[in-house]
Amino acid sequence: MKGECLRLVIISILISSLLSCGKKKRTLFTEMSSSQTGINFRNDIIESEDYNVLTYEYIYNGGGVAVGDVNNDGLPDIYFTSNMGPNKLYLNKGNFQFEDITDQAGVRGRSKWKTGVVMADVNGDGLLDIYVCYSGPGTGQERANELYINDGVKNGAPHFTESAKAYGLDAPGTFTTTVAFFDMDNDGDLDMFMVNHADMFYNPFYNTDKLRAKRNPQFGNRLYRNDNGHFTDVSEQAGIYGSGLNFGLSVAISDVNNDGWPDIYTTNDYDERDFLYLNNHDGTFREVLDKAAGHISEFAMGSDIADYNNDGKPDIAVLDMLPESNHRQCRHPAGCSFIERCAFVS
């Protein structure tokens, strides 16, 4: 009798499993293949003696993506940056069909290391422009950032002219992660905050006081004011920190105190902490994070600002590289990661 009951239970389980397999799982999103969309971009990383995690610590941070309507046809287009290969601009043809117009648009970029990318109407002509950030090993000129100004549609596709130097935004020599365009002084044009990072491995024995003592021309974050179409670096006079200890990885812009003026939150990896800059309404900012937050991330990565609980107030989300405890860092029960072993050595 017991054996018969067990047999019936097993059959019931098998039937239930087969019936559940036949049901199509409901999802909110549908994955679309490159053969359907025409988007076949890949950001391949090829290590060598010149490019590896020892020569560039952020080699696996990835590239960037920007989405915007570059030809004003009502459809969002997509631009990808490639760390080691050509960038790609895909024009939205409708019905999730995209066309690679990179060469026709003139936005391939240089062969060196590209990082973040942002679309914004930099010159205020009603057309989205594209700003591409550069970093990694190489000369200062090889790391100069690019600004592609949108010339409008020509021969059926938008065309761009690289104009970063003409606008004062090439910033040669910096190690730029990303930027944010926003109207910091409410004068109707876009200014820019630039997130940079150091090119050296973090060392806990750095003389941090010495590194923080003065602004670093390559590693420090920068704030550019738009002066009638040309951008001026006003970082120091505006109160923006830019030390040699800076490992900037993200920036988020929002009016966090609801006074009608945009404020800045920027994250830092390693020993330099994050900064929350409140707008003083006079072209300067005051840093208030130690007063605004009870605790902050130690190894901050990405960040975002949004009203997460729908109470009418902007909230700040920051991603940290490390978990709350060392449990998740352990590779297996027999031992922990290299970083943890170093931390425990006396």
Side-chain angles (χ1 to χ4, degrees):
M1 188 71 180
K2 289 183 179 179
E4 180 67 17
C5 289
L6 179 61
R7 187 174 68 85
L8 292 174
V9 169
I10 294 174
I11 293 174
S12 177
I13 292 173
L14 290 173
I15 292 174
S16 298
S17 300
L18 290 171
L19 289 175
S20 63
C21 290
K23 294 180 181 179
K24 187 176 181 181
K25 189 177 180 181
R26 294 183 62 186
T27 60
L28 296 177
F29 294 91
T30 301
E31 181 180 0
M32 305 191 73
S33 67
S34 59
S35 61
Q36 294 174 291
T37 64
I39 298 176
N40 54 10
F41 174 82
R42 286 171 55 99
N43 184 33
D44 294 316
I45 305 298
I46 302 174
E47 291 186 295
S48 67
E49 291 184 2
D50 297 323
Y51 279 96
N52 55 65
V53 74
L54 297 179
T55 60
Y56 182 42
E57 188 170 4
Y58 289 142
I59 190 171
Y60 291 117
N61 273 25
V65 58
V67 177
D69 184 4
V70 296
N71 60 346
N72 286 345
D73 65 351
L75 298 172
D77 310 299
I78 307 176
Y79 185 88
F80 296 95
T81 62
S82 172
N83 293 138
M84 306 184 76
N87 303 328
K88 292 288 186 179
L89 175 61
Y90 290 92
L91 195 67
N92 194 332
K93 309 295 286 187
N95 197 30
F96 295 101
Q97 302 291 312
F98 292 82
E99 178 186 356
D100 182 353
I101 61 165
T102 307
D103 292 334
Q104 190 175 350
V107 292
R108 285 174 62 89
R110 301 190 305 273
S111 61
K112 288 295 183 178
W113 202 268
K114 283 85 68 182
T115 51
V117 57
V118 172
M119 287 186 183
D121 184 5
V122 177
N123 57 356
D125 65 352
L127 300 172
L128 282 180
D129 310 300
I130 303 173
Y131 190 87
V132 179
C133 305
Y134 282 76
S135 187
T139 66
Q141 196 56 48
E142 286 173 331
R143 289 193 304 275
N145 297 329
E146 293 179 320
L147 171 62
Y148 291 102
I149 294 296
N150 195 329
D151 302 322
V153 175
K154 297 181 179 180
N155 298 321
H159 184 270
F160 297 80
T161 300
E162 203 291 301
S163 308
K165 187 174 182 179
Y167 279 75
L169 291 176
D170 53 335
T174 57
F175 294 80
T176 306
T177 303
T178 188
V179 301
F181 286 93
F182 69 112
D183 187 2
M184 72 168 188
D185 43 16
N186 285 345
D187 65 350
D189 57 26
L190 291 180
D191 311 291
M192 189 185 81
F193 187 91
M194 177 186 291
V195 179
N196 296 320
H197 69 82
D199 73 334
M200 53 191 175
F201 269 96
Y202 170 72
N203 187 329
F205 302 106
Y206 284 151
N207 186 334
T208 55
D209 291 336
K210 183 178 180 180
L211 287 171
R212 286 195 180 100
K214 62 179 181 179
R215 171 168 294 279
N216 188 291
Q218 294 179 301
F219 309 155
N221 291 339
R222 297 185 181 186
L223 178 65
Y224 289 87
R225 184 184 64 216
N226 190 337
D227 295 325
N228 299 316
H230 189 273
F231 288 77
T232 304
D233 185 349
V234 296
S235 310
E236 189 169 2
Q237 66 196 67
I240 304 300
Y241 293 100
S243 75
L245 199 64
N246 194 71
F247 284 87
L249 290 181
S250 73
V251 58
I253 307 294
S254 181
D255 181 8
V256 297
N257 58 352
N258 289 321
D259 64 352
W261 293 75
D263 309 301
I264 307 168
Y265 190 97
T266 182
T267 62
N268 274 295
D269 200 358
Y270 298 122
D271 198 53
E272 186 64 282
R273 66 178 181 84
D274 297 355
F275 297 115
L276 173 58
Y277 297 104
L278 289 188
N279 199 317
N280 290 327
H281 311 172
D282 59 1
T284 67
F285 293 80
R286 64 188 185 278
E287 207 289 308
V288 299
L289 187 56
D290 58 343
K291 301 179 180 64
H295 66 277
I296 59 175
S297 296
E298 177 69 19
F299 301 91
M301 306 279 121
S303 61
D304 193 17
I305 300 178
D307 183 6
Y308 291 96
N309 57 352
N310 292 324
D311 64 352
K313 301 174 184 178
D315 309 299
I316 301 173
V318 178
L319 301 182
D320 195 293
M321 182 182 71
L322 295 181
E324 291 187 40
S325 69
N326 66 355
H327 177 74
R328 285 177 54 208
Q329 283 184 273
C330 291
R331 292 176 176 172
H332 50 76
C336 293
S337 69
F338 172 75
I339 295 176
E340 288 178 307
R341 292 200 301 271
C342 289
F344 295 140
V345 173
S346 60

